[in-house]
Amino acid sequence: MKKHLLAAAITVLAAGSAMAQANDTLAKIKSSGAITLGVRESSGALAYTLGDGKYVGFHTEMAERIAHDIQKQLGLTKMEIKYQPVTSQNRIPLVVNGTVDLECGSTTNNLARQKDVAFAYTTYVEEVRIAVRANSGIDDIKDLNGKTIVTTTGTTSVQTLRKNKRADGLNIKEVMGKDHADSFLMLETGRADAFIMDGSILAGNISKAKNPNDFKIVGEALSVEPIACMLRKNDPAFKKAVDDSIVRQIKDGTLAKSYDKWFMQPIPPNNTKVGLPLSAATKNAWEHPNDKPMEDYQK
């Protein structure tokens, strides 16, 4: 009986130790000599893959600099950066269960997700925008009356449009693309008059078009969403280390140079420009570092 009690006690202590390790990411990194970054394969210039295990983009590059700053903080002479591809479906579970230490891709910070994970300071503010053919005569939301709108299955972009007060009374027809490339093809071939989606996705598709000058992004932003790196909850030391690195990258101009590299200069693999200048909302987030959720942007 006593042996059973002793075994049970050891099990409880081991579980407690594992839980403590899971909630102390810096200790985990120091003891293992490695950090695992969650990376995206097709999040536009924010984060994407070149194949063969190579991951690049604005947020991927920023995450690698965060990792190097943490290595310095921990005094490690060597630290391996492991890359774990994640999807929209599995990114949160992989952070929660400890598979991924830091996920920097295209994840929106919102109140629902904050129940499961924590977010670092916002480093990119996404704007839902309208893309049209340059000769369409459409310059604003009101010009969409009587037009066909395409968006991608599984997204909420058209609902976002309908919530906009300036869209009241508009008579629009909705069609759905199976993915972003399919939606843009509908715009490109005239089956839709406008494509409503995240601005970075629209700009990325336009940059890859046969004739990018045939398209333009018009009108005001329909909504704004703060994009931030995701980490486990209840780990204030690790969050501070991540936030400190982000602030350092903002203050020394590293983040601005990286933005220019990925959004304003030709990028691989096709050597094309996204051509999406730094928005006022993202610039404001850099000037006033914060981890406010999307709901705060809608007040």
Side-chain angles (χ1 to χ4, degrees), residues 168-294:
D168 286 347
L170 290 185
N171 177 28
I172 58 175
K173 178 184 177 183
E174 300 172 23
V175 293
M176 307 295 286
K178 64 182 180 181
D179 54 30
H180 299 320
D182 189 43
S183 295
F184 187 75
L185 184 61
M186 289 190 187
L187 175 66
E188 198 168 26
T189 55
R191 288 176 288 165
D193 300 296
F195 178 17
I196 297 179
M197 186 47 60
D198 295 350
S200 61
I201 293 173
L202 296 178
N205 277 276
I206 289 174
S207 72
K208 297 174 184 175
K210 293 179 181 177
N211 297 299
N213 291 333
D214 289 347
F215 304 92
K216 62 181 181 180
I217 295 175
V218 300
E220 64 186 51
L222 301 178
S223 74
V224 295
E225 299 185 5
I227 309 298
C229 296
M230 184 168 56
L231 56 147
R232 278 179 289 284
K233 290 186 68 172
N234 304 318
D235 193 347
F238 184 57
K239 174 170 165 52
K240 183 178 186 306
V242 174
D243 286 342
D244 286 349
S245 176
I246 290 172
V247 171
R248 191 274 296 170
Q249 294 183 48
I250 292 172
K251 289 185 175 179
D252 69 10
T254 305
L255 207 60
K257 290 180 182 176
S258 185
Y259 188 94
D260 181 74
K261 171 184 175 181
W262 292 103
F263 285 93
M264 302 304 293
Q265 304 301 322
I267 58 175
N270 298 324
N271 203 36
T272 55
K273 292 182 182 179
V274 173
L276 190 67
L278 186 69
S279 70
T282 297
K283 185 178 180 181
N284 185 64
W286 292 2
E287 291 174 345
H288 307 283
N290 69 85
D291 54 9
K292 294 179 181 177
M294 178 179 69

Side-chain angles (χ1 to χ4, degrees), residues 10-255:
I10 291 173
T11 300
V12 170
L13 288 172
S17 177
M19 184 65 72
Q21 184 83 343
N23 286 332
D24 189 344
T25 307
L26 292 178
K28 175 188 175 187
I29 294 170
K30 189 166 187 176
S31 63
S32 65
I35 183 171
T36 302
L37 301 180
V39 290
R40 302 299 296 267
E41 296 187 321
S42 60
S43 287
L46 284 173
Y48 63 102
T49 181
L50 295 176
D52 297 327
K54 176 68 174 176
Y55 299 93
V56 297
F58 173 64
H59 264 175
T60 303
E61 192 172 77
M62 181 187 73
E64 290 168 339
R65 287 194 294 268
I66 291 172
H68 290 140
D69 283 349
I70 288 173
Q71 179 184 356
K72 290 180 183 176
Q73 177 180 330
L74 296 177
L76 297 174
T77 54
K78 291 184 179 179
M79 188 184 78
E80 180 184 4
I81 298 179
K82 298 179 179 179
Y83 298 89
Q84 173 64 53
V86 300
T87 66
S88 297
Q89 288 73 36
N90 68 18
R91 55 187 164 181
I92 292 178
L94 290 179
V95 169
V96 172
N97 71 15
T99 302
V100 166
D101 296 313
L102 184 68
E103 189 266 351
C104 298
S106 55
T107 301
T108 298
N109 176 358
N110 63 30
L111 290 177
R113 289 171 179 161
Q114 285 186 8
K115 294 178 181 176
D116 298 314
V117 295
F119 288 91
Y121 288 155
T122 295
T123 43
Y124 183 82
V125 181
E126 186 65 89
E127 297 181 333
V128 176
R129 302 292 300 273
I130 304 168
V132 299
R133 291 187 296 280
N135 62 358
S136 66
I138 299 172
D139 293 309
D140 202 353
I141 294 175
K142 59 180 175 53
D143 298 324
L144 296 176
N145 192 40
K147 305 296 185 182
T148 298
I149 308 300
V150 62
T151 192
T152 304
T153 299
T155 66
T156 58
S157 298
V158 171
Q159 290 93 319
T160 299
L161 169 66
R162 292 195 178 282
K163 290 178 182 176
N164 192 295
K165 291 182 180 178
R166 299 194 66 198
D168 286 347
L170 290 185
N171 177 28
I172 58 175
K173 178 184 177 183
E174 300 172 23
V175 293
M176 307 295 286
K178 64 182 180 181
D179 54 30
H180 299 320
D182 189 43
S183 295
F184 187 75
L185 184 61
M186 289 190 187
L187 175 66
E188 198 168 26
T189 55
R191 288 176 288 165
D193 300 296
F195 178 17
I196 297 179
M197 186 47 60
D198 295 350
S200 61
I201 293 173
L202 296 178
N205 277 276
I206 289 174
S207 72
K208 297 174 184 175
K210 293 179 181 177
N211 297 299
N213 291 333
D214 289 347
F215 304 92
K216 62 181 181 180
I217 295 175
V218 300
E220 64 186 51
L222 301 178
S223 74
V224 295
E225 299 185 5
I227 309 298
C229 296
M230 184 168 56
L231 56 147
R232 278 179 289 284
K233 290 186 68 172
N234 304 318
D235 193 347
F238 184 57
K239 174 170 165 52
K240 183 178 186 306
V242 174
D243 286 342
D244 286 349
S245 176
I246 290 172
V247 171
R248 191 274 296 170
Q249 294 183 48
I250 292 172
K251 289 185 175 179
D252 69 10
T254 305
L255 207 60

